[in-house]
Amino acid sequence: QVQLQESGPGLVKPSETLSLTCSVSNYSISSGYYWGWIRQPPEKGLEWIGSIYHSGTTYHNPSFKSRVTMSVDTSKNHLSLMLRSVTAADTAVYYCARAAYSFGDGYYFDFWGQGTLVTVSS
Amino acid sequence: SYELTQPRSVSVSPGQTARITCSGDGLSRKHAYWYQQKTRQAPVLVIYEATERPSGIPERFSGSTSGTMATLTISGAQVEDEADYSCYSTDSSGNHWVFGGGTRLTVL
């Protein structure tokens, strides 16, 4: 089955850019599906950041839109997230996940990576 | 913005039925999805399209909807079911994908 693995720096300084990669195995990104980024601050709930199709089409959470860039590299079969101007409030476990489609409902996440903790601190 | 509201915590004894609710205006038109998240683990889909169980999810997990409220029911909850449960849905436009705040289920 499809597997996802997030990677990136575990520590980012305030005002800098958080950059993460999600490597996908056992499924070719270019074959379809949207792919999403979700985060979870310590002791808080899940928060959707945005989702991207292999063509580059995106959906964004308005709360992040001005700070987020998502991209897909089909040659490497991975997706990337950049979050600019981070603050301590961006400290969270960041997940990538595959978004399946349900007619009438839209998209939902069926397979998730294990997540990676990113701490924003000087 | 679209919101889904869940109770912060639910507690049951082993063998009892646990019910976790999720309310949102859009749930009368779109299904809820439910995720289980055990400590320091990634979320796992336990219910999709309001009532369907993915392969490998025990039969004691079930979902239902009434009006604008979705309910995840765990019949005969077990200690291993202790986890955070989050509901999920999208808004009417399909452009905003939303999680509920999560419910901590204690089975003790």
Side-chain angles (χ1 to χ4, degrees), chain B residues 5-21:
Chain B
T5 302
Q6 299 180 235
R8 295 201 66 174
S9 63
V10 169
S11 293
V12 297
S13 299
Q16 288 188 328
T17 296
R19 294 182 178 85
I20 298 171
T21 59

Side-chain angles (χ1 to χ4, degrees), chain A residues 79-94:
Chain A
L79 42 150
S80 298
L81 172 74
M82 291 200 308
L83 180 64
R84 294 177 289 279
S85 304
V86 297
T87 69
D90 294 309
T91 294
V93 175
Y94 286 76

Side-chain angles (χ1 to χ4, degrees), chain A residues 75-116:
Chain A
S75 67
K76 295 181 179 177
N77 212 45
H78 75 205
L79 42 150
S80 298
L81 172 74
M82 291 200 308
L83 180 64
R84 294 177 289 279
S85 304
V86 297
T87 69
D90 294 309
T91 294
V93 175
Y94 286 76
Y95 296 98
C96 59
R98 190 180 78 169
Y101 182 75
S102 173
F103 183 78
D105 288 340
Y107 294 93
Y108 67 98
F109 300 107
D110 59 353
F111 289 100
W112 295 63
Q114 282 303 302
T116 186

Side-chain angles (χ1 to χ4, degrees), chain A residues 8-108:
Chain A
L11 182 64
V12 180
K13 290 182 167 53
S15 80
E16 295 190 345
T17 297
L18 178 161
S19 296
L20 296 174
T21 297
C22 173
S23 298
V24 179
S25 304
N26 302 326
Y27 188 84
S28 173
I29 289 177
S30 58
S31 294
Y33 287 97
Y34 269 83
W35 304 84
W37 290 97
I38 303 102
R39 76 178 188 181
Q40 186 170 34
E43 302 304 316
K44 293 189 177 180
L46 299 165
E47 184 176 30
W48 172 65
I49 299 170
S51 300
I52 186 167
Y53 197 63
H54 65 82
S55 62
T57 304
T58 58
Y59 289 101
H60 284 87
N61 182 333
S63 299
F64 295 96
K65 189 169 183 179
S66 63
R67 295 198 292 141
V68 162
T69 299
M70 296 178 290
S71 60
V72 169
D73 187 331
T74 54
S75 67
K76 295 181 179 177
N77 212 45
H78 75 205
L79 42 150
S80 298
L81 172 74
M82 291 200 308
L83 180 64
R84 294 177 289 279
S85 304
V86 297
T87 69
D90 294 309
T91 294
V93 175
Y94 286 76
Y95 296 98
C96 59
R98 190 180 78 169
Y101 182 75
S102 173
F103 183 78
D105 288 340
Y107 294 93
Y108 67 98

Side-chain angles (χ1 to χ4, degrees), chain B residues 17 19 28 31 41 43 48 50 54 56 58 63 66 68-69 84 88-89 98 100:
Chain B
T17 296
R19 294 182 178 85
S28 59
H31 294 136
Q41 294 186 23
Y48 67 98
S66 178
T68 59
M69 182 172 287
D84 292 329
Y88 165 89
S89 190
V98 180

